[in-house]
Amino acid sequence: MPDELRTIQVTVNGTKYDRQVRCRKLLSDFIREDLRLVGTHVGCEHGICGACTVLFNGQTIRSCLMFAVQADGAEITTVEGLARGGQLHPLQEAFWENHGVQCGYCTPGFLLTALELLQRNPNPTEEEVRIGIAGNICRCTGYQHIIESVLAAAAKMGAKTV
Amino acid sequence: MSKTWIGKNVKRHEDPRLLTGRGTFVDDITLPNLYHAAILRSPHAHANILAIDASEALKYPGVVEVVTGEDVVQKTRPFSVVVKTPFKYYCAAVKKVRYVGEPVAVVVATDRYVAEDAAALVRVDYEPLPPVVDPEAALEPGAPILHEEVGNNISCHRLLDYGEVDRAFAEADLVLKERFVFPRYSSVPLETYAVIADYDSSSGVLTVWSNFMGPFTLHPVTAMALNIPENKLRFIIAKDIGGSFGIKSSIYPYIALIGLAAMKASRPVKWIEDRQEHLMASSSQTDRVSYREVAMRKDGTLLAIKTKIIDGVGAYLRAPEPATTFRPIGNYVGPYKVKNLRVDAYDMMTNKCPTGPNRGYGCHQIYFEQERMMDMAAEKLGLDPAEIRLRNFIPADAFPYVTPSGGIYDSGDYPKALKLALEMSQYEKLREEQKKARKEGRLFGIGIAVGVDPSVSNMGYITVAMPAEVRSQPEYLPKSGAVEAATVRMDPLGGVTVLMNSTPQGQGHETVVAQIIADELGVSPDDVVVVDDFDTSESPWSVSSGTYSSRFASVGTSAVVIAARKIKEKMFQIAAHTLKVSPQDLELGQGKIFVRQDPKRNISLKRVAGTAHWDLLRLPEGMEPGLEARGVFHFPMADAPDSKDRVNSSNTYGFMAEVAAVEVDRDSGQVKILKYISVHDAGTIINPKIVEGQIYGGALHGVAGALFEELVYDQEGQFLTGSFMDYLVPTAAEAPKLEIGHVCSPSPFTPLGSKGAGESSSETAPVLIANAVADALAPLGVKVTELPLTPKRVWALIHDSSSTEVGR
Ligand code: FES
Ligand code: FES
């Protein structure tokens, strides 16, 4: 049963994929190994670090805590889907401008978490950002530059939508 | 050279790829016909292995090979280490396991899922033995012995004596003695260890992709362990490493183990460590018990330090250990002018995971003792903690300053830095606030901590782990130096490429190098391509290569400057030849080389580059064609220890002065950081944002050690903190907001004056918070001598304090 193959259909970053997967394959492994979208990282495989965060039907999930077969029919956005036509997403720009990245391993997870946070709350306070990203671990930055990046992105994105 | 780009917040060149998911970490690399490994690990802290039966595992569909201790003992050798203690450390357990998580077998299969299934089918019969987990207990007579051939658990013992310690103690007005316990916590990068090994039997070359970070002293160590000639062990380091903070130095036993598996399986093999394996069996800092005595004069002058330290190095002493003990030897006295120092150091083998570098390597432990003691002395003498430090600082005019243990501090102005930190914290006001808080019955504390931040390890310091009599034997080969190389190339159209081999792990080297080149060669950083792809068969590497001991900002940048200046000199010669002037008359600017007195006479860099590549007959006579230069920088004062055990263990020495305010919740024991001021002297700063980022990260790492993180074992040696639910890495919700200040004392020993900053606050933050908590609890009359200050521990301190409250 865990090794049984199933066919699933998923849309990732706008591209439709039909793939056969083993039932026990984690969604994170499917994204990385089967789709070769290696921007989604794995830091703990037990749901704490948030490095594997992707948007699943518009909501953040930890792809290490789901099986690929559970994604049948879902729409997924990974970090590779953020920039459009060579143009960085304002969040990515803000991280670049505010030194929100050091080793970059946590970054994809933070970007997608922050994206959801800003969709919910386009104008967060610093404290709200801290709480909003507290489900993700970064070992490099001490979080300060990430927080500044998210606040800067909020300003940018707010400015863009008006 | 005009400083147009140095000192600017140039946006990092690394970021676009990392922000779009296009980085290249080891696990992103795949090879044709790649197999995957899972490691079966010991469930016992100490046990004899009676038998291993892999037959069921080998029958499992998809499994191609199982490696056990038998292969290990036949095909590999124990890893070498600086001391001659006769224990054997192999890449996996041979006949006996000595810590929970020790590799016992490796299963190679078509994928990781299958490999894990099959690992569960390997049968191992163990005969459990009594373990010893506490380093102090390991020293006691009758303690269980890990390595029979050693006869006790001491892997290394040195008594280092500098100055006249006994006399100073005899003359002291005040002698304080205290026992300190510093826990095991670790680097915990978000990316775990990762190895891919591929053996080519036709050439005999074993190629290994990994996230090893250096020092490359460990490359020959690995080659010898694998019985492979060094030039046939090829290390390729992934372009991107997901953080390290020291721990990825200690990956090499796994490189050997997976290398062995790839050789036995005749297939490329990938092994990605999982988080539990990482917490349990990668590496960590030592757990330390220390007894420190200080001799003081009434006026607060520190006369002498005596310390007995007992480091728990785990089941095997693994190189570069015992460097936790000895890495800070030159800066043992920190920023203080004390002349007398005695260090009685034991490195004890216990039934825990072997140890290794962790950010701050050896410094946070000694500053914990030192800075706690300064506060205790201040309290006894009725001095303010700031005042007692100011009275003992090495004065600003004393640099370069030689410490009693042989450190050569390059530059600094410690009083200025501490005064700035006090000013930024509004220290007087904080003390007022504290008075008020105490009246209200609140536990409000202020902490100060200072520390000297050593950068660029001397390749010879570790030999101080051997007695001077041994080092003086003719057959003993001394070690010294600290070097880095860089290659700068200008192509025929004037584009600059820099080849580095620095194995960065998030420190932004590509950007910093581009900034330096931009200033040296008068180009824009955006036009500079920096390639930092480390490959032992292609890169100009040395044993000291790698990014560790905060070395890049000092030694790596210096190599880049030297290479750039060589190229520049050559370009000036070509330009002088073309313009028919002397090179001394020329200047560089705006993409041109021009005659200083007559700027209209000029030649573009592009044209000079074109000449060097494509018009060779127009070059000055005898000049080598092309435009490429290798810069090599090494520190001349990184000598081997002398006969009195004095050694300049590092090469540049930064400084940090920090002030924090905390409030302790009486009911829960929870510590809240209200203020954190961090002042640094890292010499010339090349990219302020990058330095800030290092400080933020380092400080939080230290705060984590002070408040949250510990690798916990029970008395049976069972490991209790194998997930992020048990090992508490702080998140943004717990991270304090730092205010950073700088003073700048450029290093006279580096061309740019820069020093390292990557470890800095990780060395002072643990004691900073401890001092603040101790100050908060001072009215209760309790002592803070142990970390982490978890709510549980703090609560116990508050509630066990029998003394009645006293006002301050
Ligand atoms: S890898 Fe999924 S939460 Fe850590
Ligand atoms: S940037 Fe390295 S873990 Fe966040």
Side-chain angles (χ1 to χ4, degrees):
Chain A
M1 158 66 182
D3 264 353
E4 202 177 294
L5 283 169
R6 288 281 173 84
T7 303
I8 61 166
Q9 197 180 67
V10 285
T11 306
V12 183
N13 305 328
T15 306
K16 272 205 169 62
Y17 297 88
D18 272 297
R19 289 293 156 99
Q20 280 208 317
V21 287
R22 294 199 187 281
C23 289
R24 65 165 165 175
K25 186 150 208 170
L26 297 179
L27 180 57
S28 49
D29 287 346
F30 173 75
I31 292 170
R32 292 182 49 81
E33 293 168 9
D34 297 46
L35 306 186
R36 292 297 303 155
L37 292 169
V38 295
T40 300
H41 296 151
V42 172
C44 71
E45 269 182 310
H46 54 255
I48 304 288
C49 76
C52 65
T53 304
V54 298
L55 293 184
F56 187 92
N57 295 332
Q59 289 197 322
T60 56
I61 55 118
R62 310 206 151 195
S63 59
C64 74
L65 291 186
M66 275 182 82
F67 295 111
V69 286
Q70 292 175 279
D72 191 16
E75 287 221 19
I76 292 173
T77 305
T78 68
V79 66
E80 287 92 343
L82 282 180
R84 291 283 156 82
Q87 185 68 43
L88 293 182
H89 188 279
L91 248 173
Q92 291 169 311
E93 273 175 21
F95 270 67
W96 194 11
E97 282 155 11
N98 293 279
H99 190 31
V101 183
Q102 287 190 28
C103 78
Y105 202 78
C106 69
T107 309
F110 271 97
L111 287 171
L112 293 162
T113 303
L115 185 63
E116 188 186 52
L117 169 70
L118 294 182
Q119 278 164 357
R120 239 183 17 235
N121 179 359
N123 201 3
T125 63
E126 180 183 328
E127 199 48 34
E128 285 167 342
V129 172
R130 280 181 185 270
I131 302 301
I133 61 172
N136 291 55
I137 292 176
C138 172
R139 195 56 162 174
C140 297
T141 61
Y143 303 102
Q144 192 60 41
H145 285 147
I146 295 183
I147 295 163
E148 287 166 20
S149 301
V150 177
L151 289 168
K156 255 181 208 275
M157 289 163 72
K160 270 192 189 143
T161 48
V162 247
Chain B
M1 179 192 71
S2 70
K3 282 195 183 166
T4 309
W5 296 104
I6 288 180
K8 290 258 162 49
N9 287 326
V10 172
K11 286 199 291 181
R12 298 201 331 165
H13 291 187
E14 294 84 348
D15 290 6
R17 70 169 184 269
L18 295 169
L19 283 163
T20 53
R22 303 183 66 86
T24 309
F25 298 88
V26 181
D27 194 25
D28 304 343
I29 299 168
T30 185
L31 299 179
N33 197 31
L34 184 62
Y35 282 68
H36 298 266
I39 299 175
L40 178 70
R41 295 171 181 279
S42 168
H44 296 285
H46 199 188
N48 287 319
I49 298 174
L50 303 177
I52 301 181
D53 178 3
S55 53
E56 286 303 310
L58 280 164
K59 276 188 233 151
Y60 195 77
V63 172
V64 295
E65 201 54 84
V66 176
V67 173
T68 67
E70 202 125 314
D71 303 295
V72 167
V73 78
Q74 275 171 24
K75 299 271 165 40
T76 73
R77 288 191 274 176
F79 295 103
S80 54
V81 66
V82 64
V83 299
K84 301 287 169 248
T85 317
F87 62 88
K88 292 196 177 82
Y89 173 38
Y90 286 100
C91 60
V94 172
K95 296 206 174 90
K96 194 176 175 188
V97 290
R98 295 182 176 86
Y99 64 98
V100 168
E102 181 164 10
V104 173
V106 182
V107 177
V108 179
T110 45
D111 75 34
R112 177 67 176 256
Y113 292 74
V114 174
E116 302 233 4
D117 288 348
L121 300 176
V122 177
R123 285 210 37 197
V124 188
D125 288 337
Y126 293 102
E127 177 195 28
L129 299 167
V132 57
V133 292
D134 177 75
E136 227 177 351
L139 196 50
E140 267 159 32
I145 287 177
L146 275 80
H147 301 271
E148 291 75 14
E149 58 274 43
V150 180
N152 57 39
N153 294 314
I154 304 172
S155 66
C156 173
H157 172 229
R158 288 279 358 244
L159 180 65
L160 304 169
D161 212 342
Y162 307 100
E164 295 180 89
V165 174
D166 292 330
R167 197 168 115 189
F169 268 87
E171 287 169 2
D173 299 321
L174 173 72
V175 171
L176 289 177
K177 180 170 181 172
E178 202 56 65
R179 177 178 187 269
F180 294 101
V181 178
F182 204 91
R184 276 189 178 221
Y185 59 85
S186 199
S187 308
V188 200
L190 207 52
E191 180 201 34
T192 57
Y193 285 179
V195 179
I196 303 171
D198 187 14
Y199 183 64
D200 176 357
S201 56
S202 59
S203 64
V205 173
L206 176 67
T207 303
V208 181
W209 291 259
S210 76
N211 44 18
F212 175 62
M213 56 165 265
F216 280 76
T217 45
L218 300 169
H219 179 270
V221 167
T222 312
M224 286 190 293
L226 279 167
N227 282 313
I228 296 179
E230 205 181 341
N231 56 5
K232 294 197 171 180
L233 176 62
R234 181 178 179 191
F235 275 15
I236 299 176
I237 310 304
K239 182 169 201 67
D240 294 302
I241 296 182
S244 177
F245 322 108
I247 201 165
K248 285 171 181 163
S249 288
S250 304
I251 190 179
Y252 68 94
Y254 288 105
I255 291 179
L257 183 59
I258 301 304
L260 175 65
M263 290 196 270
K264 192 174 179 202
S266 305
R267 291 167 167 89
V269 176
K270 181 189 257 191
W271 171 69
I272 306 296
E273 184 188 50
D274 70 26
R275 181 57 59 186
Q276 186 185 15
E277 292 181 288
H278 186 78
L279 289 166
M280 176 167 69
S282 58
S283 181
S284 77
Q285 68 192 24
T286 62
D287 36 345
R288 173 177 293 186
V289 177
S290 56
Y291 294 87
R292 181 174 279 237
E293 287 174 74
V294 294
M296 316 269 314
R297 227 184 259 140
K298 273 204 287 296
D299 64 0
T301 308
L302 176 61
L303 296 173
I305 301 168
K306 265 198 257 189
T307 181
K308 176 178 177 182
I309 59 182
I310 305 158
D311 269 321
V313 297
Y316 307 88
L317 188 74
R318 173 177 60 200
E321 295 287 53
T324 303
T325 315
F326 299 103
R327 185 239 184 172
I329 202 68
N331 56 289
Y332 226 94
V333 294
Y336 303 126
K337 56 192 175 198
V338 54
K339 291 278 178 230
N340 309 300
L341 168 71
R342 181 177 296 155
V343 182
D344 188 12
Y346 291 84
D347 290 284
M348 300 307 301
M349 293 188 281
T350 57
N351 294 107
K352 292 183 178 173
C353 178
T355 59
N358 176 36
R359 196 174 206 165
Y361 206 21
C363 292
H364 38 300
Q365 292 93 339
I366 58 170
Y367 296 151
F368 180 65
E369 302 165 29
Q370 173 149 297
E371 293 296 289
R372 281 274 52 236
M373 276 312 232
M374 288 307 262
D375 274 17
M376 290 178 185
E379 199 187 324
K380 280 265 178 322
L381 296 169
L383 288 171
D384 185 277
E387 181 58 30
I388 195 168
R389 289 174 170 84
L390 287 167
R391 287 188 189 179
N392 283 289
F393 276 156
I394 295 161
D397 60 8
F399 293 90
Y401 176 85
V402 181
T403 69
S405 45
I408 304 170
Y409 290 175
D410 46 345
S411 58
D413 189 340
Y414 304 157
K416 187 172 166 192
L418 177 56
K419 283 177 188 158
L420 176 60
L422 294 169
E423 190 188 306
M424 285 173 66
S425 70
Q426 301 183 285
Y427 186 65
E428 300 303 326
K429 226 171 113 191
L430 275 183
R431 287 285 175 208
E432 288 303 312
E433 249 175 80
Q434 181 178 42
K435 267 191 205 142
K436 209 173 124 233
R438 281 186 176 163
K439 273 203 198 108
E440 294 161 7
R442 285 158 52 211
L443 300 172
F444 183 103
I446 302 159
I448 296 178
V450 294
V452 170
D453 181 21
S455 299
V456 195
S457 285
N458 167 351
M459 288 295 101
Y461 79 79
I462 192 59
T463 60
V464 82
M466 297 296 284
E469 311 84 78
V470 175
R471 298 197 310 264
S472 64
Q473 300 299 313
E475 64 277 10
Y476 191 83
L477 300 174
K479 296 184 175 65
S480 63
V483 62
E484 192 59 271
T487 303
V488 178
R489 224 181 243 168
M490 193 177 272
D491 60 44
L493 299 180
V496 186
T497 302
V498 188
L499 307 179
M500 298 298 298
N501 39 283
S502 68
T503 69
Q505 312 117 34
Q507 296 93 340
H509 292 181
E510 291 169 35
T511 313
V512 169
V513 169
Q515 286 179 258
I516 295 169
I517 292 293
D519 272 358
E520 290 289 336
L521 300 182
V523 296
S524 159
D526 285 342
D527 297 335
V528 181
V529 171
V530 180
V531 181
D532 202 329
D533 292 339
F534 196 107
D535 181 338
T536 50
S537 65
E538 288 174 7
S539 310
W541 62 284
S542 82
V543 288
S544 58
S545 296
T547 287
Y548 58 94
S549 73
S550 304
R551 72 198 302 274
F552 179 75
S554 297
V555 72
T557 58
S558 300
V560 172
V561 169
I562 288 175
R565 289 182 185 170
K566 277 191 185 170
I567 286 253
K568 188 169 152 187
E569 193 187 314
K570 189 166 177 180
M571 290 194 300
F572 272 41
Q573 282 169 6
I574 297 169
H577 187 69
T578 312
L579 298 170
K580 311 228 171 335
V581 291
S582 146
Q584 281 81 45
D585 299 333
L586 294 175
E587 221 164 274
L588 179 71
Q590 271 143 14
K592 291 190 179 79
I593 297 174
F594 55 87
V595 180
R596 194 175 300 112
Q597 305 300 342
D598 182 9
K600 283 197 295 300
R601 286 177 67 199
N602 63 58
I603 178 168
S604 69
L605 291 185
K606 211 167 155 179
R607 181 75 201 109
V608 172
T611 307
H613 289 282
W614 264 346
D615 193 11
L616 308 186
L617 300 187
R618 237 56 63 202
L619 290 177
E621 215 179 294
M623 180 180 274
E624 191 179 273
L627 263 184
E628 176 171 311
R630 159 94 41 97
V632 178
F633 183 84
H634 84 105
F635 283 98
M637 58 287 187
D639 206 350
D642 70 10
S643 61
K644 298 208 159 69
D645 292 320
R646 287 176 301 207
V647 60
N648 185 30
S649 41
S650 299
N651 285 285
T652 58
Y653 296 86
F655 180 69
M656 48 272 160
E658 306 196 305
V659 180
V662 303
E663 180 152 359
V664 177
D665 184 320
R666 217 178 254 274
D667 298 324
S668 67
Q670 193 132 17
V671 176
K672 189 166 166 49
I673 300 173
L674 306 171
K675 202 177 225 153
Y676 190 142
I677 307 295
S678 187
V679 171
H680 291 255
D681 189 344
T684 308
I685 288 177
I686 300 167
N687 186 315
K689 275 268 183 208
I690 289 180
V691 171
E692 255 178 40
Q694 290 297 319
I695 294 168
Y696 286 135
L700 186 58
H701 197 166
V703 167
L707 297 177
F708 308 110
E709 294 182 13
E710 183 176 7
L711 297 164
V712 182
Y713 290 79
D714 70 11
Q715 282 311 305
E716 295 306 308
Q718 281 304 322
F719 181 61
L720 304 180
T721 46
S723 82
F724 279 153
M725 280 165 281
D726 313 296
Y727 187 88
L728 300 177
V729 173
T731 71
E734 293 85 38
K737 190 170 180 175
L738 263 67
E739 287 171 60
I740 295 174
H742 294 286
V743 299
C744 178
S745 315
S747 174
F749 301 154
T750 58
L752 298 175
S754 52
K755 307 182 181 193
E759 296 171 271
S760 61
S761 287
S762 70
E763 297 161 7
T764 33
V767 69
L768 174 73
I769 302 304
N771 281 350
V773 171
D775 188 46
L777 302 184
L780 309 177
V782 297
K783 270 187 192 166
V784 174
T785 55
E786 193 166 342
L787 299 179
L789 294 163
T790 55
K792 189 174 159 202
R793 177 165 281 133
V794 174
W795 193 90
L797 281 173
I798 295 169
H799 292 269
D800 294 351
S801 67
S802 46
S803 62
T804 46
E805 290 205 21
V806 282
R808 199 177 193 196

